[in-house]
Every structure is written in C-alpha cells, then in structure tokens.
C-alpha cells in the first residue's frame, strides 16, 4: 500500500505503524482489538496499566475498539496506540493547537480530550481528511500558498482551518486571523495561512 | 558564473507535511517500545541527598528507573533547576508519568544566583575590541547620543518538543530526534555510551523548528539510549514543554550601553559599546560576539567595545535566532534613529549616507552588497515619503497614534566545507545525498531547484537525503550557513554529472531526458561525488567535515568579508484609550545574494517579521528569583505572536549574487530575517509617541 512516492518519507529500518495512518483514507484494514490479529500493523501493542476503560469509536471512518488506560488523552491514543502521528504534540496543555482534530465535526484539542470521552463518537485526523491521491482543498491551499515551513503545526492548522470554513467563520481576513489564533506557528507562516484559508473557502463554499 | 536566476518552485516536502506524513523524531513508533519520563531537580544548586525511587519502581507498568549514579547524566551535584535526577521507563506514557511523580528527593541546597541583578552575582570581563581613535572622536564630536538597552531572557520554543526515540540492535544504537547537528549528537552519544562512533546512527529527517535550540546535543538523549540498552527495548521520551524550558538552552538577558558620536558635518564617527550578559562559567555563547556583525553595518571608522559575563546558576544560554546581532542591532538601530532625529535628518537617508565598504574588524573590503537597494526599495514599497517627521504628528481619525519606523540588520555570511553525491538512474529516479537538516527553512527545495534546473530529470522522482548520519557526514545547520554550504556543492555535482554524461554519450547522444538517455545507453545509472570548500579553506576542512569536526569559515575570508543585509519598515498603531500596540503592516527587503528558492526564501522573510514582532512586543521568559526557574514555562504564559497579531507583510529579495563568496553567489538568511523588526518597531513607537523605549519586550505600560 505504501507506494514508491511515499516510501521516501519513511525512515529506513522502521516497521511503520503509520502504515495504517498513511492508508487510512485509501481503505486500510479495520483496526481490531489489541488482543486480536492486527499485530502486523500494530507491532507495539500496549500493555495497558492503571484503571482500564473500553472504548469503541469511528476514527477516520474506521471502527476502533480497544481497552486502554483511563488516563490516556485522545492525543496519546491517536499517536502512540493507533499510529496516527500526523496529529502533533506541541504543549499537551491545550495552548498551541498542534493537536487539533475533529470530534463529531467540531475542532478539539486532542491533548485536552480524554480518550475515554470519544466512546461512540467520530474522530477525524489529518490522515482522514482526504481520500486516495486527492488532497482536501485546504491541504492544496496550504501547498499553493506555502502556508508552512517546518510543518509541525500544519496538521493542526489545517484541521482548524477546515473548521473555520465549515463553521462559516471565514468571512473576512480579520475573522480568519482571529479564528486561527489558537494555532501557534512558531515559524510564522501566518500570512500564508490566511491566504490558504481564503483560497480554500472559495472552493469549499463552491 | 553566478548569473542564473532561479525560478520559483513549490516546497518539495509540502505534500507530506499537509498530509501529516512527514515524520519527526517523536513520530517513530517501534515494536515493543517503552515510554520514559524525566524527573527534574527542584533546587537550582546543591546536592541530591536521598532519592527514593521505591514507589516509582512499584508503580504498575513501570519497567525500569534510572537514578543518581546509574548514568553520568544523573549526577548528585545539581547546577540548575530542572536538571534530570531520574528517568522512569514504563509500558505507557501514563504509567511513566505516574512513576516519575512518585520519585521523591531530599536535597542539600546551596545558595544560588538566579539573575544578573541577584546579590552576589559575579561579573567576569571578557576580551574587548578597539579600532581607530574612539576617544578623540568623542572629544571632537558635535553630537552624541547614548542609551542603555536591555533585551530579555527568551526561549526558542519551536513547536516540536524534545522528542527522542532510541533503539538498539546488535550492539548498534539508532536515535531518532529533531536536531540541527546530528553529527555532534552522534559524537556525544558515542562518548557517553562508550561506543565507537560507527555504532551510532542519528536520524533527523524532519525537524519541527530549530532556531538554535537543537544545535547542541541535548542532556536527555544519552540517558534515553541507556534506558533502551538496559531494558532491551526501544524507548521514547517526549519531554513536556515545562521541562524543555528548563533543560533547553535560551537567549540570555543582556544589557548594552552604547554611545554614538557624529562630527560637525553630521557624519557618524564613532561607536563606544559596553555589553554584559547572563551566562554560566565556560558557557557556549560568547559575550565577545556582540560587536562583530554590527561593526560592519555602516561606515563608522572608530569603534570600541567591551564585554562581560555575569555568572548565574541556571542552565546554559546559547544561540537563539538572530544571536548577537539581534540585541546589538536593537541598540545600534535605535541610536541611529535617535541621531537622525537629533540632526534633523531622515532616518532612511541617514542610513543611505553611511554605506559601508570596509570591514573595520578584519581591515579588508566588504564584498559588494545591496543594503542601500534594500532601503530604497523598502521605502518605496512602504510609502516612506508619506511620513511626517515630527513625532506624534500622525493620527487616524479615531485618534489612533501612527508611527513609521525603519531599521536594518546584518549577519555574517559563513559557509562550511561539504560534500554531495548525485546519482541519476535509468529507471527514472534521481537521488542526492546532501548534508544538513531541513527545519522548515527550505533547504530541500533549494537543492531540488539546483538539480532540476541543471538536469533534465523527473522532478517528481527526485529524492534528497540529509539529516541522517548513516548517509554521510552532516553539516551543522546553524548560523544561517546551511544553504550557502550545500547549494554550491550541489551545483558542482550537477556540472560534474553533466560532464560525465557527455563523456559517456559522446558526440551523438540519444534522445529523451536523462533517464531515457541512460536507458538507451544501457547504463543503469551514473553517479558523481563533489566536494566544495569555503573561500580560503584547505582540504583539511573537508577532513574535519567528514569526521564531525569544525568545518565552517567566514564571514571574513582571505581578502574580503561577506555579510547578509536587510531593511525592515513597520507601521505601528497605538490605541488612544487602551494604548494597545498593533502592527498593521510591514515591509522587509533583503540582500541574501543569489536567491536559490524564491518561495521558501519568502517564507523565511514572512516568518522573520513574525519572529521580530514577537521578540519586540511579546516574549520574555520570567525568571523566578526564589528558585532560579521559569515562571511562565508554558505556551499560555510565554506569549508568542499569533495570527491575529500579524497584519500585511510585503517582502522582497534583491537577488544579486555575491560574486566572491561561492560559485552561486548565495548567502544565508535564517538569522537575518528577524533582525530589523524589533528596532523598527521601537523607532515607530518613538515616531508615534515621542517616547524612546530601550528595553524589550515593549509593553502597553511603556507607552502610557
Ligand atoms: S498539544 Fe494540544 S493544544 Fe498543544
Ligand atoms: S510551520 Fe513550523 S510551527 Fe508552523
């Protein structure tokens, strides 16, 4: 499933749990409970400790059922248990926006959301935003307007930016700037981010 | 000849980044991986008396606890708050945090010095610099301006935390971590773990922002590697932001006394400059570096500088974006503005009148540069002519105070010896093994542009490898020398490959692009390796490069000195009621030599203005004198510029090659791009209010 083009982003020698994430849109196998057979794709099955909770949720359109430490954040569930490492940890305190994902179509900080809270709900991460080779209009707009440098804040920016448009908040430059101000970009790509949201809003709103 | 203009191409790693597929250190997940958490010391100085790890060891899920004596990093002597005293390794992050919180320590605390102003702070003079006759210049001066300028402790705070993954396999160690200098990390790991350097690999394919923070090896990396060795499982540590504030380096607070003399003709004649900064003994950030770049900015013949450190008991301060020329330039550019006002001259024209041709430190010519073009182009785009000179004279209808400000910046154009290997294959792919680190500055895109302009290859199937010690030696990507080091050698490799192909194909080459031509010639691939030195270097620099040693040179080369230049203009609005300071627009024009990647260079220009704004009006790390720790050690309280802070920014690049520095004429820009913004803002605030603010960050209360 990982094609020629994407292998170059892999690091040699790593069995890539991200394989799931890469193909999330493309039609990856469904994620099974940890004690079942998804081992090939999820080699580091966690030994969960502490008080355990069971949860079942739709993540990027895939049914996920598992048991995990009740203290785990949604961010650590996504990154460390499910391999959706596109969602980044910049502060773990709800202060930077790098971990923004959509929970039932609303943007949330995954670091401030307890994993247990997503039981029965839907989560979309950057990996689930587009399908196959096609980019989401916001992803394309980020490329077109060079709305990034190091790229670390970018997944969170894009998830917030999509919400900015779908919630009808991309009405003028100042409204966009205001909405996007929960997402820090230390590289300072704000000019490009504004331009990207403006471009994508036109496409998304048709 | 360095004459070719490069077209704009898209950022080559943008697609991976918008898909969330670019892998940073902490994104690596390995089978059986454990999670670690550091336990920080809660005193600034003294000794760990007792350390109780029993409860931590008994915590469910905890696999291993390393504590004092288990590894050299974990020392009983404490020299800064937050110094690691233990590492807890567990099956999950949650268990590791619980275990780390269960560790208790009893300390024997010693008195400490938290701040430069703390009682007992020790002042240590450093070497000064003097040229010309400063004393008589001041004696004969017609006009003198002077001031004491202060810039605060600031932390880099790239968005990427300190993430480390360590894995052992057959006695060999592999570390995944965001670095600006993987070779230094490799060397430090080999030493700390008693390994041959050949047994250590460091991989840093993508770096989530560096800004200087990730140049030196980090204190926790070898410890994580040791934990992986003991547990025989891969270990991941992601240090929390609050801990990073205490274990990462930072920009030291510094105080600058500067005096400027002008003669009766209104020409600048002398600078006298005394600087003192906070530091630790043998710290890695020299107080003697402050005068070095700014002394080359204008034609001012007489210059005298002194420097000193005040020793504090905190972790080591180091290079932070803009390094010495940022605080020094804040002082100089504020005083130049003040002098211009005092002499009744326009601040842009006053700077134009002092164009420097000579490097007064090395006593040799400056390479031709275009600072004056930056100033005139910037003034035009900004609409500087609409400025009414009198302070406080420009207002909006609602009473908002308006200020226009300008300032320049300068940074040494250094280079490193380096090497590149280029292979074009008949199967349609191309690979370059280069050297350096992609931190968002656009190095990959710049290299790709050189290759795709020079060779008829498939641009979509070009792979550039760097930031990985297994690919070959990697230059330290610091002091804005990355692009200037890897671009000339990339061009050389392109030329060598073309020559090799011509030799191969003879006078009648087959049709098609290079891949197709190779296929028709039944050659699976051709490959060349090129090396390049900085001006004046001999081959020993290459040897140093290959063995992880110091391979850099400049900005003073034999016979000439090369610098990068910027002119920045800002408009500042101050609300008449709340005194809130805003920056609705900025213009930034730079001379960075030949522009190799216009798109990513512009990205840096935008980002530099944001950094400058942030350092001028937002950022200060507040040191708690009671503990010598940081009060605002998170991203809510350490305030960084956000999108709503930033108005319209117009950027431009002169794009004239420096004919002397290298074959492409490319100079660096990563540090330069933020240098003029803070003094331009301070100067605009003066223009709006008539108040000179000589310390950063500038707050509402400063303009009440
Ligand atoms: S990591 Fe969640 S907001 Fe910063
Ligand atoms: S692109 Fe680096 S933090 Fe935003």
């Amino acid at each position: 499933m990982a094609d020629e083009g994407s292998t170059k982003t892999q690091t040699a020698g790593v069995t890539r749990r991200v394989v799931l994430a890469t193909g999330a849109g493309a039609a990856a196998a469904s994620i099974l409970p940890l004690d079942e057979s998804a081992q090939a794709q999820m080699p580091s099955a966690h030994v969960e400790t502490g008080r355990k909770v069971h949860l079942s949720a739709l993540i990027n359109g895939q049914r996920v059922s598992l048991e995990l430490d009740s203290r785990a954040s949604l961010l650590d569930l996504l990154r460390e248990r499910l391999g959706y490492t596109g969602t980044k940890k910049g502060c773990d305190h709800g202060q930077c926006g790098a971990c923004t994902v959509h929970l039932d179509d609303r943007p949330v900080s995954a670091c401030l959301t307890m994993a247990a809270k997503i039981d029965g709900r839907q989560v979309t991460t950057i990996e689930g935003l587009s399908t196959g080779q096609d980019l989401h209009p916001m992803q394309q707009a980020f490329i077109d307007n060079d709305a990034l440098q190091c790229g670390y804040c970018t997944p969170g920016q894009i998830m917030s930016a999509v919400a900015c448009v779908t919630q009808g908040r991309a009405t003028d430059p100042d409204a966009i700037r205001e909405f996007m101000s929960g997402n820090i970009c230390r590289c300072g790509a704000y000019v490009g981010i504004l331009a990207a949201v403006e471009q994508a809003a036109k496409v998304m709103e048709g | 000849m360095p004459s070719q203009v490069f077209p704009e191409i898209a950022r080559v790693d943008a697609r991976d980044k918008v898909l969330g597929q670019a892998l940073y250190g902490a994104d690596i997940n390995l089978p059986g991986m454990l999670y670690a958490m550091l336990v920080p010391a809660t005193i600034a100085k003294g000794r760990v008396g007792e350390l109780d790890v029993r409860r931590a060891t008994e915590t469910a899920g905890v696999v291993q606890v390393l504590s004092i004596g288990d590894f050299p990093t974990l020392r009983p002597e404490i020299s800064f708050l937050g110094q690691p005293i233990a590492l807890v390794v567990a099956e999950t992050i949650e268990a590791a945090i619980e275990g780390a919180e269960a560790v208790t320590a009893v300390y024997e605390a010693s008195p400490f010095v938290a701040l430069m102003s703390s009682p007992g702070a020790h002042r240590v003079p450093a070497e000064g610099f003097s040229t010309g006759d400063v004393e008589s210049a001041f004696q004969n001066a017609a006009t003198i301006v002077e001031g004491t300028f202060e810039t605060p402790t600031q932390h880099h705070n790239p968005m990427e935390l300190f993430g480390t993954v360590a894995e052992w396999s057959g006695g060999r160690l592999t570390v995944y971590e965001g670095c600006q200098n993987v070779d230094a990390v490799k060397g430090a790991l080999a030493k700390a773990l008693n390994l041959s350097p050949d047994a250590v690999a460091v991989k840093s394919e993508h770096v989530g922002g560096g800004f200087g923070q990730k140049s030196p090896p980090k204190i926790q990396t070898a410890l994580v590697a040791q934990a992986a060795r003991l547990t025989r499982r891969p270990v991941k540590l992601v240090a929390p932001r609050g801990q990073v504030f205490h274990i990462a380096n930072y920009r030291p607070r510094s105080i600058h006394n500067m005096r400027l003399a002008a003669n009766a003709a209104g020409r600048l004649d002398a600078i006298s400059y005394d600087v003192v900064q906070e530091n630790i003994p043998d710290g890695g950030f020299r107080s003697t570096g402050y005068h070095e770049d700014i002394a080359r900015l204008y034609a001012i013949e007489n210059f005298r500088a002194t420097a000193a450190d005040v020793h504090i008991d905190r972790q080591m301060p180091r290079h932070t974006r803009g390094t010495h020329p940022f605080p020094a330039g804040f002082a100089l550019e504020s005083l130049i503005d003040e002098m211009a006002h005092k002499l009744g001259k326009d601040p842009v024209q006053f700077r134009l009148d002092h164009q420097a041709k000579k490097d007064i430190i090395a006593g040799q010519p400056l390479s031709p540069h275009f600072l004056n073009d930056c100033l005139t182009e910037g003034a035009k785009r900004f609409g500087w002519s609409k400025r009414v000179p009198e302070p406080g004279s420009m207002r909006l209808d609602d009473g908002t105070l308006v200020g226009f400000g300008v300032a320049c910046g300068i940074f040494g154009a250094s280079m490193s010896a380096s090497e590149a290997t280029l292979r074009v294959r008949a199967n349609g792919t191309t690979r370059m093994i280069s050297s350096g680190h992609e931190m968002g500055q656009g190095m990959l895109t710049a290299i790709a542009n050189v290759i795709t302009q020079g060779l008829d290859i498939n641009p979509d199937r070009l792979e550039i490898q760097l930031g990985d010690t297994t690919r070959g030696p990697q230059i330290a990507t610091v002091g804005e020398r990355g692009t200037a080091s890897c671009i000339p050698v990339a061009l050389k490799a392109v030329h060598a490959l073309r020559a090799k192909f011509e030799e191969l194909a003879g006078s009648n080459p087959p049709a098609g692009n290079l891949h197709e031509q190779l296929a028709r010639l039944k050659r699976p691939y051709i490959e060349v390796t090129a090396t390049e030195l900085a001006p004046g270097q001999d081959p020993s620099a290459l040897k140093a490069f290959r063995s992880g040693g110091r391979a850099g040179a400049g900005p003073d080369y034999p016979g000439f000195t090369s610098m990068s230049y910027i002119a920045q203009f800002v408009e500042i609005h101050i609300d008449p009621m709340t005194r809130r300071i805003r920056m609705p627009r900025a213009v930034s024009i730079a001379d960075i030599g030949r522009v190799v990647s216009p798109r990513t260079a512009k990205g840096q220009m935008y980002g530099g203005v944001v950094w400058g704004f942030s350092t001028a009006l937002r950022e200060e790390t507040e040191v708690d004198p009671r503990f010598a720790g940081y009060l605002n050690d998170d991203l809510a309280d350490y305030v960084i510029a956000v999108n709503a802070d930033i108005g319209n920014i117009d950027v431009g690049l002169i794009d004239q090659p420096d004919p002397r520095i290298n074959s492409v004429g490319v100079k660096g820009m990563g540090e330069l791009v933020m240098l003029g913004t803070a003094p331009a803002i301070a100067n605009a605030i003066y223009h709006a209010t008539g108040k000179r603010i000589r310390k950063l960050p500038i707050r509402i209360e400063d303009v009440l």
Side-chain angles (χ1 to χ4, degrees):
Chain A
M1 61 170 293
D3 62 14
E4 259 301 298
S6 73
T7 50
K8 73 169 192 246
T9 67
Q10 298 185 19
T11 312
V14 179
T15 315
R16 199 178 183 221
R17 244 172 41 167
V18 186
V19 90
L20 254 181
T22 313
S30 68
I31 301 171
L32 297 167
L34 289 178
D35 49 11
E36 291 185 29
S37 65
Q39 296 305 310
Q41 292 175 335
M42 305 190 59
S44 60
H46 266 61
V47 177
E48 296 289 349
T49 55
R51 180 198 295 259
K52 293 186 223 14
V53 287
H54 186 269
L55 71 84
S56 174
L58 267 186
I59 300 183
N60 294 334
Q62 311 287 320
R63 170 66 53 193
V64 173
S65 295
L66 51 76
E67 202 164 66
L68 86 171
D69 193 316
S70 61
R71 297 167 297 185
S73 67
L74 173 57
L75 180 58
D76 290 332
L77 166 64
L78 291 170
R79 288 183 52 80
E80 309 303 337
R81 276 112 171 150
L82 300 177
Y84 288 116
T85 54
T87 307
K88 302 300 181 204
K89 184 181 281 189
C91 68
D92 221 12
H93 283 37
Q95 300 166 340
C96 77
C99 66
T100 307
V101 297
H102 294 173
L103 179 58
D104 295 337
D105 293 331
R106 291 190 46 223
V108 297
S109 296
C111 68
L112 285 189
T113 305
M114 300 307 291
K117 291 270 283 185
I118 70 160
D119 189 40
R121 303 171 75 179
Q122 292 192 33
V123 176
T124 305
T125 71
I126 189 74
E127 292 94 341
L129 200 58
S130 52
T131 50
Q133 282 299 301
D134 296 334
L135 295 176
H136 185 282
M138 191 62 76
Q139 290 170 316
Q140 188 60 50
F142 266 63
I143 295 176
D144 294 345
N145 295 280
D146 203 36
L148 56 102
Q149 288 189 40
C150 77
Y152 197 82
C153 73
T154 308
Q157 300 278 2
I158 290 175
M159 298 311 284
S160 289
V162 169
C164 178
V165 176
T166 55
Q167 294 183 6
R169 303 283 294 277
T171 48
D172 63 81
D174 281 342
I176 295 170
R177 287 181 175 125
E178 204 61 45
F179 190 96
M180 294 301 296
S181 283
N183 291 78
I184 299 174
C185 176
R186 186 51 157 163
C187 298
Y190 298 132
V191 170
I193 291 167
L194 170 65
V197 178
E198 287 180 317
Q199 174 185 317
K202 286 195 200 112
V203 180
M204 289 167 69
E205 287 160 354
Chain B
M1 276 318 285
S3 56
Q4 178 197 7
V5 174
F6 288 89
E8 178 163 324
I9 60 167
R11 189 180 288 273
V12 295
D13 50 359
R15 187 180 168 93
D16 285 344
K17 286 175 174 176
V18 302
L19 284 166
Q21 288 178 358
L23 291 181
Y24 304 80
D27 294 341
I28 305 300
N29 285 326
L30 300 168
M33 191 170 72
L34 295 169
Y35 292 85
M37 190 53 60
L38 294 164
V39 180
T42 57
I43 61 163
K45 197 173 181 179
R47 275 185 69 83
V48 181
E50 275 169 47
L51 191 69
D52 186 354
V53 299
R54 195 176 39 85
R55 274 180 46 232
T57 317
E58 288 166 1
T59 300
V62 169
V63 174
Q64 184 105 30
V65 180
L66 283 90
S67 65
I68 304 293
D70 289 342
F71 194 68
T73 312
L74 302 171
R75 298 182 298 122
E77 299 80 21
I78 301 300
S79 55
F80 60 90
L81 188 91
Q83 182 182 320
I85 56 170
L87 184 79
V88 176
V89 187
E91 296 286 351
T92 62
I93 295 183
E94 295 76 25
I97 293 171
E98 185 184 355
E101 285 172 351
V103 173
T104 56
V106 178
Y107 299 95
E108 298 154 17
S110 308
F112 58 85
V113 173
L115 300 161
M116 282 203 272
S117 54
S118 297
H122 186 49
R123 183 189 167 105
V124 185
E127 205 184 328
F129 166 78
S130 181
T131 185
D133 190 347
V134 171
E135 204 152 318
S136 62
F138 274 93
Q139 268 163 16
N140 301 326
T143 315
I144 294 174
V145 292
E146 60 192 304
T148 300
F149 297 83
E150 195 166 349
T151 59
T153 306
Q154 293 176 331
H155 276 69
H156 313 73
N157 278 315
M159 294 315 297
E160 181 188 19
L161 292 164
F162 275 176
T164 305
V165 173
E167 180 190 31
W168 292 81
S169 157
R172 300 175 65 82
L173 170 66
T174 302
V175 164
Y176 304 88
E177 188 181 85
C179 303
Q180 291 177 246
N181 189 354
V182 283
D183 274 319
V185 175
K186 173 177 152 172
L189 285 169
K191 198 163 159 225
L193 296 156
N194 213 353
L195 294 167
S196 142
D198 299 341
V200 180
V202 181
K203 292 170 185 278
S204 192
E205 191 189 356
H206 287 285
V207 185
F211 313 118
Q213 187 201 49
K214 294 166 180 165
S215 316
K218 308 174 191 75
I219 190 170
Q220 70 278 15
T221 310
L223 190 55
V224 178
Q226 176 69 0
R229 175 145 79 176
L230 292 175
T231 57
R232 297 173 180 277
R233 289 167 69 179
V235 174
K236 179 189 286 192
L237 169 67
V238 178
R241 182 68 64 177
Q243 291 187 8
V244 175
F245 263 88
H246 290 85
I247 56 177
N249 50 81
Y250 56 93
R251 189 195 303 284
R253 176 175 290 277
S254 57
I255 299 169
H256 310 253
N257 278 302
M258 196 180 276
R259 304 178 77 208
L260 209 52
N263 63 22
R267 284 201 66 82
L268 292 168
D269 207 16
I271 297 178
S272 161
Y273 179 26
D274 304 298
V275 62
V276 54
Q277 66 168 4
E278 59 186 8
N279 203 353
I280 66 166
D282 299 320
F285 190 69
R286 296 176 299 124
S287 59
T288 51
Y290 285 100
H291 69 271
E292 284 175 2
D293 297 72
I294 61 156
R296 293 156 167 150
L297 183 51
Y298 299 111
I300 305 174
E301 289 286 317
N302 306 296
F303 196 112
R304 188 194 59 80
T306 71
D309 290 316
V310 174
H311 288 168
I312 47 156
D313 293 305
R314 307 210 315 265
Q315 84 270 33
M316 188 191 288
R318 290 196 77 123
H319 298 75
T320 307
R321 194 180 205 178
T323 70
H324 298 99
F326 162 60
F330 172 58
L332 177 61
E333 287 297 289
S334 298
L335 279 186
I336 296 268
D337 195 73
E338 191 166 342
M339 181 68 92
H341 277 274
K342 216 162 170 180
L343 298 174
K345 300 201 173 185
D346 176 83
V348 171
Q349 188 59 48
F350 191 53
R351 287 175 169 86
L352 290 172
D353 292 343
H354 288 86
Q355 185 185 17
K357 299 232 163 80
K358 190 179 145 198
D359 168 8
I360 58 167
I361 296 178
Q364 62 184 14
L366 290 166
S367 208
H369 67 83
F370 301 92
L371 175 59
N372 280 10
D373 299 64
C374 296
L375 278 163
T376 43
E377 172 70 12
K380 194 173 88 199
R381 290 199 197 184
F382 184 80
W384 184 256
S385 58
K386 295 197 194 75
R387 173 177 174 273
V388 184
E390 190 58 32
S393 61
M394 291 174 72
R395 290 188 186 231
L396 302 184
D397 290 343
D398 64 359
T400 296
L401 280 68
V402 176
F404 285 7
V406 61
C408 297
I410 183 167
F411 204 93
S414 59
M415 259 186 85
S416 170
S418 74
E419 186 171 61
T421 300
L422 178 61
R423 176 182 287 207
V424 180
R425 304 186 187 91
N427 71 3
T429 63
T430 304
R431 182 192 66 186
M432 172 167 272
I433 299 175
S434 182
S435 173
H437 307 76
E438 175 60 61
M439 309 182 282
Q441 80 279 42
M443 199 170 189
L444 290 174
T445 308
I447 297 171
N449 212 10
V450 169
I451 298 172
T452 53
Q453 294 314 308
L455 297 174
D456 186 8
I457 56 156
N458 295 334
D460 299 340
R461 300 186 71 192
L462 165 65
E463 182 184 10
I464 299 159
Q465 296 177 338
L466 44 74
D468 180 342
T469 60
T470 63
R471 307 289 180 210
Q474 304 290 315
I475 54 162
T477 313
V478 300
E480 68 173 40
R481 73 163 64 123
T483 304
S485 304
C486 68
I487 290 305
V489 74
L491 184 67
K492 209 166 161 183
V494 164
H495 288 160
L497 194 128
R498 267 207 315 242
K500 192 163 177 177
F501 177 79
E502 277 157 25
E503 200 177 305
L504 187 77
S507 55
N508 202 4
N513 69 16
L514 197 45
H515 309 291
E516 292 156 353
Q517 289 175 311
L518 285 171
R520 293 198 172 107
L521 291 167
K522 302 213 173 342
R523 283 288 189 137
Y525 67 88
I526 52 174
E527 177 176 294
V528 293
T529 295
T531 59
E532 187 69 291
L533 299 167
Q537 282 186 325
D538 63 41
S540 69
L542 217 46
K543 224 172 124 193
F545 163 72
R546 291 198 179 111
S547 57
R550 288 185 173 272
D556 45 332
Y557 303 99
F560 71 100
T561 299
S562 181
M563 310 293 287
S564 293
Y565 300 84
I566 197 161
Q568 296 183 304
F569 296 76
V570 302
E571 179 170 336
I572 287 294
H573 288 180
I574 300 176
D575 186 284
M577 301 301 291
T578 64
R579 309 304 274 185
R580 183 173 174 193
I581 305 165
R582 308 218 49 164
M583 185 182 77
R585 65 193 186 98
V587 173
S588 178
I589 313 285
D591 163 20
I592 56 165
R594 172 61 78 218
V595 179
V596 181
S597 170
R599 182 175 291 195
T600 56
K602 274 186 237 155
Q604 290 232 62
M605 293 288 284
Y606 290 125
V609 173
V610 175
W611 255 77
F613 172 94
S614 201
T615 51
L617 296 171
R618 297 286 181 269
E619 293 176 45
E620 173 168 23
T621 311
E622 291 163 39
V623 181
D624 186 339
R626 296 168 306 167
F627 304 108
Y630 304 112
L631 283 165
N632 53 343
D633 62 352
D634 63 48
L635 295 181
D637 293 319
Y638 186 94
V639 183
I640 292 171
V642 296
N643 208 322
D645 288 325
I646 302 304
N648 297 321
I649 305 175
D650 183 15
V651 303
L653 296 158
I654 299 296
D655 200 1
Q656 289 291 338
D658 180 331
R660 304 183 75 171
I661 187 167
N662 54 50
S663 61
V664 181
V666 56
K667 306 186 278 191
M669 68 184 303
E671 318 263 5
L672 175 82
V673 288
M674 54 87 71
L675 291 176
T677 312
I681 288 172
N683 293 341
I685 289 173
Y686 172 76
H687 183 229
T689 65
K691 276 193 179 190
R692 283 275 168 214
I693 320 283
R694 298 194 174 91
K695 58 102 192 164
L696 299 180
I698 299 169
R699 305 282 195 204
I700 285 175
E701 50 270 32
D702 297 317
V703 292
L704 285 179

